[in-house]
Amino acid sequence: MNRELLLAIDIGTTNSKGALFTLDGEVAASASCRHQVSHPHPGWAEHDAVEVWWKEFCFLCRKLLDHENISAKDIISVGISSLTPAVLPVDRQGEPLRPAMLYSLDTRAAQEIRDINRTLGETYSLQENKRPISPKSTGPKILWIRNHEPEVFANTAYYMGAPTFLVHRLTGEVVADYGCYKLAGLPFSLKAFGWDHRACEACGVRMEQLPKLRFATELAGTVTEEAARHTGLAPGTPVAVGTGDFLAETLSYGTDFLGLPQISYGTCVGVDNGNDHASILFPDYVPNVNQKTVPGGSMSNGCGNIDWMISMLSGMEPGKRLDSELLAHFAQTVPAGSNGLVMLPYFNGEKTPFDDPEAKGLLFGLRMSHTQADLYKAALEGTAYAIRHVLDMKPGGHDRRQAVVMGGGINIPGLLQTVSDVTGYRQTTLESYNGSLVGDAFIAGMACGVFQERSEINAWVKTSRTIEPSDGVKEVYDRRYQMYLDLYQAVSGLMHRPCL
């Protein structure tokens, strides 16, 4: 059967997923697989780039091509997104020299952040990127490699993120999109809209070790004969530059919801307070015109914390997990406030709404009378309080207490209702919650020329359901939210003391 299909693949923190889309935005086939994050030392978070990123990419390609009546020749373009930013040093052949260090989950470079701020000045990053250096920034991790792994540092030809690594494996090109590095900051400068010479020197990286910067929707290259043998794709298939999962998902909301908060329920929750981040994916982006400074962004925590709690309550046995019906029962039957429990969800530090890589998780108010149900509800509420904290950052608030939401976490039992109850926001979900794949497919279509304008994606966007805040819980949650804020202030000094 001959038809035109767009291949979209997203490599995430704990799972990878792929889909084939028709030019009308319909899913012709889908597949997914799960993987783990490696934590070899406290504060480290790593992926094996070959085993996780590349082999899962190849697995998903072949799985999708196994569907009946689908041929590699049907695929007219490939779009890729992934967790971002990550730092992967590779040699001249593109082979990894060590595991990749993952965005703000990996907080090892705290000293290097201080070193760079001392070298460049505390305000330098704010001037160049309108944000401070944080654990997710690529620069401090590169400097950490120089300081702690000199042999790796000496043999590094390029520093790649996940999209760059995958595109290089497919096409041989070393490119990255502006959007990934806008989110990462130094050594990228939004002010200069490119690599910053002073920051590169401070971070210990040479300009030629960094990818060529392009827009995500541009053509990176085509699938090589060798890549075709690994993936099953047809040689010569166009491949887009690609981007980070957050930006691909933001694109998938379309343009009709611009100005509304957008909440992305992933391992780390992203709360966009109305910025149009997806504009940086397109060549007509004009930095001084398009960029805004509305506070918001990706938190260091989110649905991963809830998943951790479910694992704890399930006994951590492989394959054993409390079923969704029981978790939904927990969420529905425990009253607002979790019978006195408050959870601070800073399991991986925090970067939004405040920057504190040494922040810790906390479960406050425990008594022997508390149950599994109370603990689960406290995990839901902790994430909801964090989301409210980011929403409250926008000066003057939001005229309409409404948000559009997406991400795999929308299926966590009770989460969306809890967030609406805690924040007072009505939440509208979209029909395709795998927004990163929708964005990837559209990016692939732009790269091969079947789409010309960003607004064409609006034909793909369909709303699904709306979650309204419950009656009678606002007063309770206003009090508990204030306690949540006070708890961090009360214990943050203790969090910064050495644990060992």
Side-chain angles (χ1 to χ4, degrees), residues 434-451:
N434 279 325
S436 56
L437 293 180
V438 174
D440 294 340
F442 191 78
I443 287 170
M446 291 286 290
C448 72
V450 297
F451 302 127

Side-chain angles (χ1 to χ4, degrees), residues 222-233:
T222 59
V223 174
T224 64
E225 294 280 353
E226 182 180 356
R229 287 194 293 272
H230 288 284
T231 61
L233 298 172

Side-chain angles (χ1 to χ4, degrees), residues 266-465:
T267 301
C268 298
V269 169
V271 182
D272 193 327
N273 263 329
N275 286 301
D276 182 15
H277 288 297
S279 61
I280 200 172
L281 303 178
F282 300 87
D284 61 358
Y285 181 82
V286 181
N288 293 330
V289 174
N290 295 108
Q291 68 192 52
K292 297 180 182 179
T293 56
V294 179
S298 177
M299 294 148 44
S300 293
N301 307 279
C303 299
N305 295 355
I306 302 170
D307 193 61
W308 174 86
M309 178 63 79
I310 295 171
S311 296
M312 295 296 106
L313 298 177
S314 303
M316 293 190 70
E317 295 180 22
K320 182 179 179 182
R321 189 176 177 88
L322 297 179
D323 66 65
S324 295
E325 287 187 12
L326 180 60
L327 294 173
H329 177 73
F330 287 170
Q332 292 165 5
T333 56
V334 174
S338 301
N339 289 315
L341 291 179
V342 178
M343 190 179 90
L344 297 187
Y346 311 132
F347 289 22
N348 293 301
E350 190 54 283
K351 60 184 177 183
T352 306
F354 56 84
D355 182 25
D356 184 357
E358 298 183 52
K360 308 291 192 302
L362 174 69
L363 194 57
F364 177 79
L366 274 169
R367 295 181 180 275
M368 293 183 70
S369 58
H370 283 124
T371 65
Q372 283 183 308
D374 297 325
L375 292 168
Y376 180 66
K377 187 64 172 281
L380 299 180
E381 290 178 345
T383 297
Y385 294 140
I387 291 171
R388 176 170 172 176
H389 199 176
V390 181
L391 289 171
D392 286 352
M393 290 172 63
K394 182 172 182 181
H398 296 276
D399 296 333
R400 291 183 289 167
R401 298 185 73 79
Q402 180 180 352
V404 58
V405 303
M406 193 178 282
I410 70 173
N411 295 311
I412 293 176
L415 178 58
L416 290 190
Q417 188 61 61
T418 302
V419 172
S420 282
D421 291 348
V422 167
T423 63
Y425 277 67
R426 179 192 309 116
Q427 297 180 89
T428 299
T429 68
L430 302 185
E431 196 170 279
S432 176
Y433 66 85
N434 279 325
S436 56
L437 293 180
V438 174
D440 294 340
F442 191 78
I443 287 170
M446 291 286 290
C448 72
V450 297
F451 302 127
Q452 304 298 324
E453 301 291 337
R454 176 183 175 183
S455 59
E456 292 177 72
I457 199 173
N458 291 338
W460 292 17
V461 181
K462 300 177 180 65
T463 59
S464 177
R465 59 192 175 107

Side-chain angles (χ1 to χ4, degrees), residues 84 131 176-185 188 193 213-216 242-244 246-247 277 280-281:
T84 192
R131 65 180 68 205
D177 85 298
Y178 290 101
C180 281
Y181 285 97
K182 175 194 173 188
L183 296 177
F188 178 81
F193 208 58
L213 291 172
R214 307 273 294 280
F215 290 97
T243 189
F246 169 72
L247 289 169
H277 288 297
I280 200 172
L281 303 178

